[in-house]
Amino acid sequence: SDVEVYVGADAIVSASTDNVYGGTATGVRASSYLGGASIENLGSISASAQADYGNATAYGVLDRGGYYGIASAENSGTISAEAATGYGVGWAWGVRERGRYADLENDGSISAQAHVVYGYASATASYVRGSYASTVNTGALLAIAEVEGSGQALAYGAMTWGYYDSSVDNQDSI
């Protein structure tokens, strides 16, 4: 069956974790094993993960369509993810979406920020993956990854992977 999540214009959804040895925070998650999963956001969604050691992972939106389904996200509001750790891996995903058919439409703001003292920092504002994948951006996508000491930092404004077909239509800011 299909899963649908709606976040209204005045709604605020937030999740946070602050753990010495790592953790995961997810603002909104929609998931289906066989059907579709869709998220529509008009409000504010945020996730923050903090750690001293280990992995800190933050997903603003985690959308997983099933084997036969469509993963769809529409954002007219604000989605943000922040991950930070002292020693380890910091993963920040504004929107992470995967399904047989996956599409993202953004005319709001999506951001991801990862900060690590020593280790690996990865920030991805939008990640869309499927057999067929599509990203349409008429808003703002922002990714910032920082490592203070030694390590590696990677930042992706938009990443769209399609096994058979993929497209990105950007009309504003990445």
Side-chain angles (χ1 to χ4, degrees):
S1 67
D2 293 339
V3 175
E4 296 179 10
V5 177
Y6 175 78
V7 179
D10 295 328
I12 298 172
V13 178
S14 66
S16 66
T17 182
D18 189 348
N19 189 331
V20 172
Y21 295 105
T24 300
T26 304
V28 171
R29 179 179 179 155
S31 184
S32 175
Y33 290 106
L34 295 175
S38 66
I39 297 172
E40 181 179 1
N41 178 48
L42 304 175
S44 176
I45 299 173
S46 65
S48 174
Q50 308 289 322
D52 293 328
Y53 306 95
N55 296 348
T57 305
Y59 300 99
V61 166
L62 184 56
D63 187 15
R64 175 79 169 154
Y67 180 76
Y68 300 105
I70 297 171
S72 173
E74 295 179 28
N75 179 52
S76 294
T78 301
I79 299 172
S80 65
E82 296 180 14
T85 187
Y87 300 87
V89 179
W91 296 94
W93 307 85
V95 172
R96 183 171 181 184
E97 185 171 59
R98 190 166 184 181
R100 184 166 190 181
Y101 302 92
D103 68 79
L104 170 67
E105 293 183 19
N106 177 54
D107 67 357
S109 172
I110 301 174
S111 65
Q113 296 184 38
H115 179 84
V116 173
V117 178
Y118 292 99
Y120 179 83
S122 177
T124 304
S126 92
Y127 174 90
V128 179
R129 183 175 179 177
S131 295
Y132 303 89
S134 168
T135 299
V136 176
N137 180 53
T138 57
L141 300 173
L142 173 68
I144 298 171
E146 301 172 319
V147 176
E148 280 184 41
S150 62
Q152 183 179 20
L154 298 170
Y156 301 96
M159 186 184 301
T160 303
W161 292 3
Y163 185 75
Y164 297 110
D165 188 34
S166 65
S167 65
V168 175
D169 179 4
N170 179 47
Q171 299 179 25
D172 202 335
S173 172
I174 298 179

